[in-house]
Amino acid sequence: MPEKKSKSSLPPKKKQKVSKNGDIRALETAISNAIRDGTSLNPFADLVDLASASSDPKTVHSAIYATYRVTVQIAQSGKLNSRRGAAEETELIRKWLEGRVNDFTDLLAGLMGDEEKALRIAALEIMMSLLLHLSNAVSAPGVPRIHLPHFRKIVKALILCPPSSRTNDSAHDGLNKVRRVEADIKDKFLEIHLSVHDDIRWFFLREATNIVNARGSDPQIADNLLSYLERLMTMPTEAAEINAFWIPNFAKPHTNGNAADSKSQAGGEEDDDDDWRKFFEEPDEATSSVPSDKQKKKRLNSLSLIASLHSLESHKVQFSNCWAALVPHLASSSALSARALGILHRGVLPHLVRPLRMMDWISSCVDFGGSVGLLALNGLFTMIKDYNLDYPDFYTRLLMDLFLSSTHLPVQLVASFVKRLSRLSLSAPPAALIMLMPFVYNLIKRHPSLMVMIHQDHVDNYVDPFDPNEGSPLLTNAIASSLWELASFQHHYSETIATLARLFSNPFTKPPFLMEDFLDHTYTTLFETEAKRTFKKDPAMTFELKKDELFPQALSNDLDGLAQPGDAVSELWVFG
């Protein structure tokens, strides 16, 4: 049983840093000897106090590594193991040591947000290494466990970013304020752990979900969590890819476990309300709130925790739960929504158990407009194309060739889109016409049913049946109309535009155009094209074009009948 200390058993403090380093070495040696000899471990508390009280970065750095080394020795000695039938004194010592280890890990959690980069990185590395040793200490033979309280401290430090013990708390507006995660800590955790080890990712997603559900109203929490998820590109797509574990004892799957083993395998911290298996349980409308025998049997036959770590579906569920908890807190920020939507189609939806659950949030993002709205439309299109989403209003909010590429779209819908572009062409500048013509040509070639729109026979007093004021593209009657607007450009003053317009009068034998070739035309490029055009045969002229004279002069009679020089252009054109 540990002795009561009056104040501290530390040697007297001296001003020289060398003496503090000597204190650290002396305390570490004393603790190692006490572990070996089974004597008092009070110096362990002194070492933790020294690390907590120091403000010098070098001293803190030395102290936390010394404390880490002796903590590992304590864990390996079995003094942290809880045993049935242990003597009262042994149990008291174990609880006392457990409290000092908690003090040390609390210190490390704060140092992960310290202003010194070396301390931040060292604290993260020590915390992750201790996770391995403490998990082994609480594991039983044949029943591997994770030290869940310790891992929760790590996740909270990564997302909530508490202040360092070396920092004046008042300068940070209190301990409860959430801070932005430091880039180096985030990069280190992502590259070494979250993107590599399947067990770390599984538990991180679960604990992050709990944090968001409890304190998600703080926008900085959503920002910090999204900064991890948007770079998580190693989600498994096959069960064989689940093969890397930070805790080696989890590497061997248990095939005979069930849900009853989960609590013991999680270090006694498993919460029934946090059970990922509930995600698969569909409520029965005819079932009362009291679970039936069939439902109870279903739960008893569920996977154990270690089997869940080897289950692809369980990884997807944790990933789905985390995103489901996060996205409601992104809706108020266009910047966060844009970041999430940018990775949605390739980094999120393929790994969700039920991608359609994201529909409400994506639909709300469409209302942001601008780049966020376009990204949201891309997400909706992915869900329509790949996940059979029924979204009737989608095509009324859309103006991009990508979304009209499917050949299974209703012909009335595509016809309305083409007719609307044709009508807008009447007031479009030449540069826009050069882009519009190939675009419409590609659509007609992709949807041959639209050929009828360029072969309509017009009679006298023709009335266009197209209704431009109809809001629904399925009811505009565009398929009964024609593209007479585009036909009118066959006599355009620009030969480039006239040539493109004549494409619709010829057989559709040309391959689809690459739209990238038509997106950078302006009045300047059109003029340069015409000015540099070469003629195979000189055009017929009614007068001789003199050298260096673009507009030759013509002769006109004055009032006295005398011939006077005039402007040939003025003779041909009247400007009013």
Side-chain angles (χ1 to χ4, degrees), residues 13-192:
K13 294 184 178 179
K14 297 181 180 180
K15 295 182 180 180
Q16 293 87 350
K17 295 181 181 178
V18 176
S19 69
K20 285 197 173 182
N21 290 332
D23 293 343
I24 294 171
R25 288 193 293 269
L27 287 171
E28 182 179 0
T29 301
I31 297 168
S32 298
N33 293 336
I35 295 172
R36 183 193 61 202
D37 301 335
T39 56
S40 173
L41 290 172
N42 282 345
F44 182 52
D46 296 335
L47 185 57
V48 174
D49 290 342
L50 190 153
S52 301
S54 178
S55 59
D56 179 62
K58 292 184 179 179
T59 303
V60 175
H61 193 273
S62 299
I64 60 175
Y65 269 106
T67 310
Y68 160 70
R69 289 190 290 269
V70 296
T71 302
V72 171
Q73 293 179 43
I74 292 172
Q76 292 176 343
S77 68
K79 295 183 180 296
L80 294 176
N81 297 10
S82 178
R83 298 183 180 88
R84 292 182 180 180
E88 181 180 359
E89 182 179 358
T90 302
E91 185 63 16
L92 286 174
I93 294 176
R94 186 193 68 80
K95 290 182 178 180
W96 181 84
L97 286 173
E98 192 175 72
R100 305 295 72 74
V101 172
N102 285 336
D103 293 340
F104 176 49
T105 54
D106 288 340
L107 169 66
L108 293 173
L111 290 177
M112 287 172 61
D114 196 88
E115 59 186 12
E116 290 287 339
K117 178 180 178 181
L119 288 179
R120 293 196 299 266
I121 299 300
L124 174 62
E125 291 177 344
I126 293 175
M127 286 289 275
M128 291 303 300
S129 180
L130 284 178
L131 175 65
L132 176 59
H133 294 288
L134 294 177
S135 296
N136 290 336
V138 298
S139 297
V143 185
R145 297 173 181 169
I146 184 172
H147 197 289
L148 204 53
H150 180 78
F151 187 71
R152 283 175 175 166
K153 286 185 182 180
I154 297 175
V155 178
K156 288 181 179 179
L158 291 168
I159 297 179
L160 302 181
C161 306
S164 171
S165 60
R166 300 191 320 113
T167 307
N168 185 6
D169 295 336
S170 60
H172 287 269
D173 300 325
L175 292 172
N176 293 326
K177 180 180 178 181
V178 180
R179 296 154 185 84
R180 182 183 296 274
V181 61
E182 296 289 346
D184 46 19
I185 282 289
K186 175 177 60 180
D187 295 343
K188 187 80 171 179
F189 182 70
L190 271 164
E191 295 170 4
I192 306 300

Side-chain angles (χ1 to χ4, degrees), residues 272-291:
D272 186 65
D273 292 333
D274 188 37
D275 194 347
W276 68 269
R277 290 170 292 270
K278 290 182 178 180
F279 194 90
F280 291 101
E281 295 185 2
E282 292 286 355
D284 190 351
E285 296 180 358
T287 304
S288 64
S289 59
V290 179

Side-chain angles (χ1 to χ4, degrees), residues 271-434:
D271 187 357
D272 186 65
D273 292 333
D274 188 37
D275 194 347
W276 68 269
R277 290 170 292 270
K278 290 182 178 180
F279 194 90
F280 291 101
E281 295 185 2
E282 292 286 355
D284 190 351
E285 296 180 358
T287 304
S288 64
S289 59
V290 179
S292 64
D293 294 338
K294 182 178 180 181
Q295 290 173 320
K296 291 180 180 178
K297 183 177 179 181
K298 178 179 180 181
R299 293 299 305 278
L300 290 174
N301 291 334
S302 299
L303 296 175
S304 65
L305 179 61
I306 189 170
S308 301
L309 292 175
H310 288 265
S311 168
L312 178 63
E313 286 302 314
S314 75
H315 282 267
K316 286 187 174 184
V317 167
Q318 297 298 348
F319 187 78
S320 301
N321 286 341
C322 192
W323 273 100
L326 176 64
V327 292
H329 305 289
L330 304 178
S332 60
S333 171
S334 59
L336 294 180
S337 297
R339 286 166 54 188
L341 290 167
I343 62 167
L344 188 70
H345 62 288
R346 68 181 187 278
V348 180
L349 293 179
H351 306 295
L352 298 180
V353 175
R354 296 171 183 162
L356 295 182
R357 286 190 170 187
M358 303 289 283
M359 183 189 69
D360 291 340
W361 171 68
I362 299 175
S363 300
S364 66
C365 290
V366 175
D367 298 329
F368 272 114
S371 59
V372 176
L374 287 177
L375 288 171
L377 284 174
N378 184 37
L380 283 176
F381 175 71
T382 301
M383 297 181 73
I384 291 173
K385 178 171 64 73
D386 297 336
Y387 304 104
N388 199 29
L389 172 65
D390 184 14
Y391 191 78
D393 296 333
F394 177 74
Y395 296 103
T396 63
R397 314 183 72 168
L398 140 85
L399 192 62
M400 295 180 70
D401 180 39
L402 171 64
F403 299 107
L404 294 172
S405 60
S406 175
T407 57
H408 301 289
L409 299 176
V411 65
Q412 295 90 343
L413 187 147
V414 185
S416 295
F417 191 83
V418 170
K419 180 62 179 180
R420 179 71 70 178
L421 288 177
S422 180
R423 184 63 59 88
L424 290 173
S425 69
L426 295 176
S427 57
L433 292 175
I434 290 180

